[in-house]
Amino acid sequence: MKSLQPTPTPIVQINTLTKIFRDFWHRPKARAVNNLSLNIYPGEIFGLLGPNGSGKSTTIKILLGLLHPSSGTVTVLGSKPQNVITKNEIGYLPEESHLYKHLTARESLDFYGKLFDINKEERRKRTDELLDMVGLTHAADRMIGEFSKGMARRIGLAQALINDPKLIILDEPTSGLDPIGCRQVKDLIIALAKRGKTILLSSHLLADVEDVCDQVTILFNGSIRASGSVTQLLEKRDSIRLTIPTLSPEKLKEVLNVIRKKIGSEPEIDHPSLNLEQFFLQVVAKANETEAENMSGAASDTKVAAFLKTENQQPKINN
Amino acid sequence: MKTNTIKKITAIAALTIKQAVRSKTLPILAVILPAVIILIVLTIKGDGSATGQIRMAIKYSLGIMWLIMGIATLSAGCASIAREIEDKQLRLIAVKPVHKYEIWLGRWFGWLAINAGLLIICGLTLTAAVHYKVNSQNLSATAKEKLHNTILIGRLRITPTPDNVDHEVDVLLKRLKASGKIPTDTTDEEECNLLHKKLIAAKSIVAPNAEKKWTMTIPKAVSQEKNVSLKLELHSPTRNEKPISGTLTISANKSAAEPLFKTEINQKYNTIYIVDIPSATLANKENITITFKNGSPDKSKTLVFTPGKSVELLITKSSFTANLIRTMLIILCYLAVLSALGITTSAIFYFPVASFIAIAVIMAGITTQYFVFASDPAHKVEHHHHGHEHEQPKPPGITEKTGELILNKLIIVFEPARQGNILQDISSGILISWHDTGRAIVILLLLYSGILGIIGSYILSKRELAALN
Ligand SMILES: Nc1ncnc2c1ncn2[C@@H]1O[C@H](COP(=O)(O)OP(=O)(O)OP(=O)(O)O)[C@@H](O)[C@H]1O
Ligand SMILES: [Mg+2]
């Protein structure tokens, strides 16, 4: 049990964090993060999960000092997010490419390396290795302005690692990547964690999170709806699952009759497939019911915009 | 400064230069500026004379170069940080261990280097173009020599100490007061100013057979110099074709019997008289007195000397090339302030707004110059006396008072930026000294840019760089 071990100091501590975006007249526009508290411990792969607009990126930007909290406290590697020194230990991959268009891939990595005061030889070595790792050695001397979205994203990932950071913050690391790229990034994340890095990643791609994360927090409307380890979350405590080989219909009937007699209610029969996806959908559906109005995120109803007509609803054209 | 600070600043400065090159900004400027300079030098006509042509060529080519570079620098500055915030590249810098002042300085040094490079190209182009122009014109040897002695040179100008008439003003004022001749609506100060002007004007008129004396203080470093000439503007208020004659003497002090230098003048009216003076004349002298005796017997030959302008000593101190280098350095300092202003406004406002604000600040800087003139008390007096028949002036209202207060503050802010008319000087062969250059470096490059840099980096460090999504 965890409580028996000495608790390590968290690398990231968020305490009752709230972020309200305000307009020019200081009127609130959106409550992006609402009373959020969480800790990320060394060596963890921490997944921030949530629908669009649930406050994942906002939380990350606050951790990086790019946004200021409206209330609450944030500590990253023991200091405030604004601290310049601790930035030496952080790597960040933003949601979209924020690279300089007029630099080549190699020059970009070299440039960011200089900002970490890495010496020339080491920069060259790291640049070569990173280019190789993200599979862009062949495009090393092309301008980033010419890169495809996925290529730019790979360079983004490479620059996040140039300083060999302790804490790696990845905002939707697999977005824009092809399936092979996705798989590679996930493997990379696991490999980095094995080397002792702490990783915070945000995603709405459930498979990503399920595949790599130790800890998951599900955000909705800026607050936490569920959190814990993936196995914990997916455990249904009020029921157990008996996994047995598939039976013939007669045998199954017999077994069910015995169970009915013993517990007095109808057992559920399915194939063992409850996964994070189902769980996530349940959580969001529940949250949607309880929430009076959706203050920040995108609505999750699947409605088609009214002006888009289906074929048999075409207005008749008068000749 | 720590080495890693320098490394980060250099990295951002190098990025700035790379971006300027690859966005074609720098290549285009590097072609347009020399082209404009060559075009102006080769085509300008001036007043037709060889010296006039070269003077105009230098003045206008440098002026246009300065204007183009100023606009380019300012707009690049205004776009720099603002666009980086909007395009989000700055977020990736801000999450690295980089201080905001390092970002500011990196951008500023980048443009300082770009401008320095462009100024070198322009300086070489101008020198070559002027050289070509001088040699392609079939000028006589003397005409060429004249060009090299008057325009393509750097000469220190020494002007006379202004006439001190304070005592005479006092005496006159007392006498006028005693006789009750001062209008009741005139204050003592106004009357003083008026008397002052009248006396100075009276002193600048030299009737036939009368004398005019000027005193000059000779800077220590000057007394050993080789090439010294004296320039005298001879103006007559009447149109009289007969020549002016007179005697010009230089003596060690007002009463010395034996002059150091003496020459007879016989010259057309409304011309400039220039005479070379043996270098020994000024050796070890602190003060000299220059005397002009109007020798024309003709009654109509009264001469007028504009106070502070009509006589000067010109002492060769420097070559044209050295003078041009210092001029370029001062221009570089001005450009550095423009880029500092641009970067700082762009650290505070988004892109187009930043440009408007920066331009407004520059406009304020330029226009306060005229306000200084308008609020000059001597100027007010003149107005007042013209309008004796007008109603009494109203006491200033609250708006005027606050206006004046703001104006005074603005003047304090902008006044030190004024460095004299360097384009006028370089194109007239007047020395732009290392002292002037040093002053420009300290005030413009260090003080103004420094203050702007502190403001810009402070605000940048307080801003939410991800406020735009
Ligand atoms: N700079 C901003 N100004 C105003 N509102 C903002 C800003 N950034 C985010 N928001 C709002 O805050 C809420 C959360 O946004 P955030 O970008 O954190 O969502 P997210 O969870 O990252 O979503 P996605 O999955 O789409 O990336 C949204 O309602 C968004 O409109
Ligand atoms: Mg996001």
Side-chain angles (χ1 to χ4, degrees):
Chain A
M1 287 297 281
K2 219 173 193 170
S3 56
L4 295 178
Q5 297 165 354
T7 349
T9 30
I11 278 199
V12 174
Q13 274 175 298
I14 300 179
N15 211 336
T16 60
L17 174 71
T18 297
K19 176 67 189 178
I20 300 168
F21 285 104
R22 295 176 184 279
D23 66 7
F24 182 81
W25 308 107
H26 218 71
R27 291 176 305 203
K29 271 190 298 190
R31 184 183 280 266
V33 179
N34 191 8
N35 204 25
L36 180 103
S37 300
L38 59 84
N39 286 340
I40 301 174
Y41 291 92
E44 264 177 11
I45 305 180
F46 193 103
L48 265 184
L49 203 55
N52 292 136
S54 56
K56 304 181 296 289
S57 298
T58 305
T59 308
I60 287 178
K61 286 171 193 160
I62 292 171
L63 289 179
L64 291 160
L66 295 173
L67 289 172
H68 306 325
S70 303
S71 70
T73 56
V74 173
T75 314
V76 179
L77 292 158
S79 15
K80 284 191 172 162
Q82 269 76 19
N83 189 319
V84 171
I85 309 297
T86 52
K87 301 259 151 75
N88 276 305
E89 310 286 354
I90 301 175
Y92 167 52
L93 168 68
E95 256 176 307
E96 30 178 303
S97 174
H98 297 165
L99 303 163
Y100 290 103
K101 289 196 287 274
H102 292 301
L103 295 186
T104 66
R106 192 187 298 281
E107 284 171 336
S108 290
L109 296 183
D110 191 64
F111 170 70
Y112 294 113
K114 279 186 199 160
L115 300 184
F116 284 104
D117 194 24
I118 301 167
N119 69 45
K120 194 170 181 179
E121 217 169 290
E122 184 66 21
R123 282 203 311 271
R124 186 167 328 144
K125 194 178 128 230
R126 289 187 186 187
T127 302
D128 286 343
E129 286 178 13
L130 285 171
L131 283 170
D132 187 41
M133 188 188 88
V134 298
L136 283 177
T137 310
H138 65 282
D141 297 314
R142 283 174 59 192
M143 298 285 168
I144 289 190
E146 305 167 0
F147 275 17
S148 74
K149 189 180 166 196
M151 288 164 86
R153 199 115 188 103
R154 284 162 189 253
I155 293 299
L157 184 62
Q159 67 77 33
L161 300 174
I162 189 92
N163 57 324
D164 189 18
K166 244 190 215 164
L167 171 64
I168 303 167
I169 299 178
L170 308 169
D171 200 347
E172 297 184 23
T174 54
S175 93
L177 294 183
D178 55 36
I180 301 164
C182 283
R183 189 65 253 168
Q184 285 170 340
V185 166
K186 286 192 246 178
D187 290 344
L188 173 69
I189 291 170
I190 293 167
L192 288 168
K194 283 215 178 98
R195 294 182 184 208
K197 314 273 181 216
T198 309
I199 296 155
L200 164 62
L201 64 87
S202 87
S203 187
H204 38 72
L205 296 177
L206 306 158
D208 287 4
V209 177
E210 191 167 15
D211 288 354
V212 301
C213 292
D214 309 325
Q215 294 291 316
V216 180
T217 282
I218 298 182
L219 289 185
F220 184 88
N221 256 356
S223 27
I224 295 179
R225 294 299 157 158
S227 82
S229 71
V230 175
T231 38
Q232 254 176 0
L233 286 179
L234 300 187
E235 198 177 51
K236 283 184 135 189
R237 281 161 201 278
D238 55 350
S239 59
I240 55 161
R241 182 189 301 216
L242 265 174
T243 310
I244 50 173
T246 316
L247 301 172
S248 66
E250 302 89 62
K251 281 220 169 140
L252 182 63
K253 226 174 185 178
E254 261 177 55
V255 173
L256 286 177
N257 275 333
V258 173
I259 295 174
R260 273 188 208 113
K261 252 186 216 155
K262 290 280 172 203
I263 60 169
S265 73
E266 192 65 18
E268 208 175 278
I269 307 159
D270 64 358
H271 295 276
S273 70
L274 179 68
N275 59 10
L276 189 61
E277 181 158 357
Q278 292 168 332
F279 180 71
F280 178 80
L281 293 176
Q282 277 173 20
V283 170
V284 172
K286 213 184 269 168
N288 249 335
E289 277 167 24
T290 53
E291 207 79 350
E293 63 174 325
N294 191 334
M295 257 288 281
S296 74
S300 49
D301 274 8
T302 40
K303 248 188 259 165
V304 177
F307 73 92
L308 297 167
K309 308 221 161 43
T310 52
E311 259 173 59
N312 46 14
Q313 283 179 314
Q314 288 285 350
K316 277 181 193 142
I317 299 158
N318 296 323
N319 290 330
Chain B
M1 232 186 260
K2 281 184 288 176
T3 47
N4 60 4
T5 293
I6 293 170
K7 195 171 186 176
K8 289 175 213 166
I9 293 172
T10 325
I12 296 173
L15 171 77
T16 309
I17 297 170
K18 238 177 225 171
Q19 286 175 318
V21 172
R22 295 187 183 167
S23 65
K24 308 275 189 305
T25 314
L26 189 49
I28 288 172
L29 282 174
V31 169
I32 284 184
L33 290 170
V36 166
I37 289 175
I38 292 171
L39 200 74
I40 291 176
V41 173
L42 296 188
T43 57
I44 207 158
K45 287 286 176 290
D47 59 2
S49 71
T51 46
Q53 237 174 38
I54 298 292
R55 176 182 300 148
M56 290 295 188
I58 295 171
K59 189 172 173 180
Y60 285 101
S61 57
L62 285 179
I64 303 246
M65 173 205 78
W66 194 347
L67 187 72
I68 296 175
M69 288 181 76
I71 292 171
T73 307
L74 189 70
S75 34
C78 288
S80 63
I81 291 181
R83 290 268 299 281
E84 256 190 293
I85 291 176
E86 277 178 77
D87 295 346
K88 303 172 187 176
Q89 287 103 337
L90 200 66
R91 293 186 196 175
L92 222 40
I93 306 281
V95 300
K96 309 289 188 246
V98 178
H99 291 277
K100 299 302 184 295
Y101 68 84
E102 291 166 336
I103 298 174
W104 194 97
L105 280 174
R107 291 293 175 194
W108 186 72
F109 273 115
W111 269 91
L112 194 66
I114 290 171
N115 282 330
L118 288 173
L119 286 176
I120 290 172
I121 295 174
C122 290
L124 291 173
T125 311
L126 179 65
T127 310
V130 167
H131 185 81
Y132 173 80
K133 177 106 172 172
V134 170
N135 290 309
S136 68
Q137 277 183 315
N138 288 328
L139 292 177
S140 64
T142 46
K144 269 190 197 169
E145 204 189 314
K146 192 185 165 200
L147 261 177
H148 283 285
N149 285 335
T150 55
I151 302 230
L152 300 174
I153 198 166
R155 295 191 295 183
L156 177 66
R157 176 165 51 188
I158 303 175
T159 49
T161 326
D163 288 322
N164 189 342
V165 290
D166 290 352
H167 179 69
E168 287 162 76
V169 168
D170 273 354
V171 173
L172 264 176
L173 188 66
K174 270 187 200 132
R175 206 184 296 160
L176 278 175
K177 267 187 174 170
S179 60
K181 276 183 187 160
I182 301 178
T184 45
D185 62 346
T186 313
T187 65
D188 276 9
E189 196 195 330
E190 285 169 344
E191 192 60 35
C192 262
N193 280 323
L194 192 67
L195 286 173
H196 195 272
K197 280 193 158 186
K198 279 184 180 165
L199 280 169
I200 295 280
K203 280 187 184 286
S204 62
I205 296 167
V206 182
N209 290 318
E211 268 184 3
K212 165 86 185 157
K213 283 185 195 294
W214 297 274
T215 54
M216 281 186 186
T217 311
I218 309 296
K220 274 221 172 61
V222 157
S223 46
Q224 306 298 324
E225 297 299 329
K226 295 258 155 42
N227 290 311
V228 179
S229 51
L230 188 136
K231 191 173 139 191
L232 189 65
E233 281 179 27
L234 297 161
H235 289 295
S236 160
T238 54
R239 250 188 107 76
N240 189 326
E241 300 297 334
K242 279 183 212 157
I244 290 160
S245 62
T247 320
L248 184 78
T249 50
I250 299 178
S251 38
N253 56 56
K254 270 190 183 164
S255 51
E258 193 62 24
L260 301 164
F261 176 81
K262 184 170 181 171
T263 182
E264 296 296 328
I265 296 176
N266 211 323
Q267 186 104 355
K268 275 214 282 190
Y269 84 112
N270 282 358
T271 51
I272 294 172
Y273 173 77
I274 296 175
V275 62
D276 288 339
I277 293 169
S279 53
T281 316
L282 299 183
N284 305 318
K285 300 290 177 304
E286 269 182 33
N287 286 299
I288 55 163
T289 302
I290 296 167
T291 312
F292 176 78
K293 184 164 190 290
N294 191 347
S296 315
D298 188 341
K299 271 262 156 59
S300 65
K301 276 295 171 210
T302 295
L303 296 178
V304 179
F305 294 98
T306 321
K309 273 183 98 177
S310 45
V311 62
E312 58 195 32
L313 277 179
L314 292 164
I315 300 163
T316 303
K317 291 288 284 181
S318 150
S319 66
F320 175 71
T321 309
N323 221 22
L324 183 62
I325 290 172
R326 287 184 293 263
T327 306
M328 292 300 209
L329 275 174
I330 295 179
I331 292 178
L332 182 64
C333 293
Y334 273 109
L335 293 173
V337 175
L338 285 185
S339 105
L341 179 66
I343 298 170
T344 291
T345 45
S346 87
I348 306 174
F349 306 99
Y350 289 114
F351 173 56
V353 184
S355 320
F356 307 150
I357 306 266
I359 290 169
V361 171
I362 291 167
M363 287 303 180
I366 293 171
T367 43
T368 44
Q369 205 170 334
Y370 299 105
F371 291 134
V372 177
F373 177 60
S375 57
D376 177 2
H379 195 76
K380 273 190 203 155
V381 172
E382 207 171 316
H383 248 281
H384 189 69
H385 276 258
H386 268 295
H388 255 303
E389 65 277 14
H390 292 330
E391 59 197 296
Q392 282 278 334
K394 278 187 219 131
I398 185 88
T399 40
E400 283 166 66
K401 271 186 183 163
T402 42
E404 200 162 315
L405 203 74
I406 292 170
L407 210 59
N408 285 337
K409 290 281 177 293
L410 278 179
I411 289 165
I412 291 169
V413 170
F414 290 113
E415 189 52 29
R418 236 152 259 143
Q419 298 282 322
N421 194 341
I422 54 171
L423 292 188
Q424 182 69 40
D425 287 354
I426 175 91
S427 62
S428 321
I430 299 298
L431 177 77
I432 288 150
S433 66
W434 279 113
H435 179 267
D436 297 335
T437 317
R439 199 178 107 93
I441 290 174
V442 170
I443 291 179
L444 299 175
L445 205 65
L446 302 182
L447 188 71
Y448 274 73
S449 306
I451 291 172
L452 285 166
I454 290 168
I455 297 173
S457 359
Y458 175 77
I459 291 177
L460 198 56
S461 71
K462 294 289 164 215
R463 272 185 81 173
E464 283 190 317
L465 295 180
L468 273 190
N469 218 355

